[in-house]
């Protein structure tokens, strides 16, 4: 059998299966979810059935399918797809809630650190990302290099320059570097 004939046979088998299962699966899903969700899950279910066409029990090599033989397995696939959709909806909802909470806190934090945010915004996109990965995520230059696709040496140089640029933009009042005494390293005795 040629590849084209094999594809044609596979398509005919799927179309025969779909004719038998689409309506019952749609009703099944409508009883368990909203119309929009049911239609999305039905599409996902049909995609799974296409991918696993050879696994459908009771489906012969011809284009006809016995509903009593194929429907129970197809209901199981639809049930699994619906469970996946519900988990995905739950994750999306939790993400939206987390974003809302973060956004509600952001004005307070932004007001406290407006100079810092302005200084960060003045950096280039690559420098800003390196600084954020270092300061906010706590990554080492080697890890930042892996995340950004750069070399560790390039990240170290970029980070050093970006920190120096931030220090300049933030205008150190006394010119001293934080964490160092002004007479440190001098022999003034």
């Amino acid at each position: 059998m040629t590849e084209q004939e094999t594809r044609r046979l596979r398509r005919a088998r799927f179309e025969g299966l779909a004719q038998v299962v689409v309506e019952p699966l749609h009703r099944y899903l409508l009883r368990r979810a909203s119309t929009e969700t049911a239609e999305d899950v039905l599409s996902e279910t049909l995609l799974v059935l296409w991918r696993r066409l050879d696994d459908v029990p009771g489906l012969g090599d011809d284009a006809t399918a016995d509903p009593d033989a194929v429907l129970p397995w197809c209901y199981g696939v639809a049930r699994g797809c619906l469970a996946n959709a519900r988990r995905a909806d739950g994750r999306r909802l939790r993400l939206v809630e987390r974003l809302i909470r973060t956004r509600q806190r952001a004005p307070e934090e932004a007001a406290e650190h407006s100079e810092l945010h302005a200084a960060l915004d003045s950096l280039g996109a690559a420098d800003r990302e390196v600084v954020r990965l270092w300061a906010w995520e706590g990554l080492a230059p080697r890890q930042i290099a892996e995340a950004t696709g750069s070399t560790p040496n390039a990240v170290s140089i970029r980070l050093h320059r970006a920190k120096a640029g931030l220090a300049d933009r933030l205008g150190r009042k006394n010119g001293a570097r934080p964490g160092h005494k002004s007479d440190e390293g001098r022999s003034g005795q």
Side-chain angles (χ1 to χ4, degrees):
M1 187 178 316
T2 67
E3 187 176 328
Q4 187 176 11
E5 290 172 339
T6 304
R7 274 192 251 145
R8 192 170 18 91
L9 178 61
R10 182 174 174 79
R11 182 176 175 170
R13 287 178 67 212
F14 177 74
E15 288 173 353
L17 176 65
Q19 285 178 346
V20 170
V21 301
V22 165
E23 280 302 315
L25 290 178
H26 193 246
R27 285 192 308 267
Y28 171 84
L29 293 167
L30 282 173
R31 286 190 291 271
R32 287 158 178 78
S34 68
T35 303
E36 181 180 300
T37 301
E39 290 173 2
D40 289 344
V41 172
L42 180 61
S43 296
E44 182 66 26
T45 302
L46 291 172
L47 182 61
V48 171
L49 292 178
W50 170 257
R51 288 179 183 153
R52 299 194 56 199
L53 190 62
D54 294 332
D55 298 336
V56 179
L59 184 62
D61 288 334
D62 56 356
T64 59
D66 177 22
D68 293 332
V70 297
L71 266 174
W73 192 82
C74 294
Y75 281 134
V77 171
R79 184 174 175 267
C81 290
L82 182 59
N84 289 342
R86 287 182 174 153
R87 281 192 295 274
D89 285 344
R91 285 190 300 270
R92 273 191 293 278
L93 180 62
R94 288 189 300 276
L95 176 62
V96 167
E97 289 170 352
R98 193 169 50 220
L99 288 172
I100 289 170
R101 284 192 307 269
T102 301
R103 181 166 277 179
Q104 288 171 344
R105 282 183 276 166
E108 299 165 3
E109 294 170 1
E112 294 174 20
H113 304 293
S114 59
E115 287 182 43
L116 175 61
H117 289 289
L120 273 172
D121 289 342
S122 70
L123 295 175
D127 289 344
R128 192 169 44 247
E129 181 66 11
V130 166
V131 169
R132 286 177 174 163
L133 288 171
W134 171 75
W136 294 348
E137 307 306 328
L139 298 181
R142 175 184 48 77
Q143 295 167 316
I144 295 170
E146 187 176 330
T148 61
S150 300
T151 65
N153 189 42
V155 167
S156 293
I157 292 169
R158 186 177 292 277
L159 182 60
H160 174 74
R161 289 180 183 164
K163 289 190 316 188
L166 284 174
D168 288 344
R169 285 177 186 87
L170 291 173
R172 299 279 180 226
K173 294 180 182 170
N174 60 6
R177 293 175 50 203
H180 296 287
K181 297 179 185 173
S182 58
D183 62 346
E184 185 177 346
R186 297 183 188 162
S187 59
Q189 295 181 359

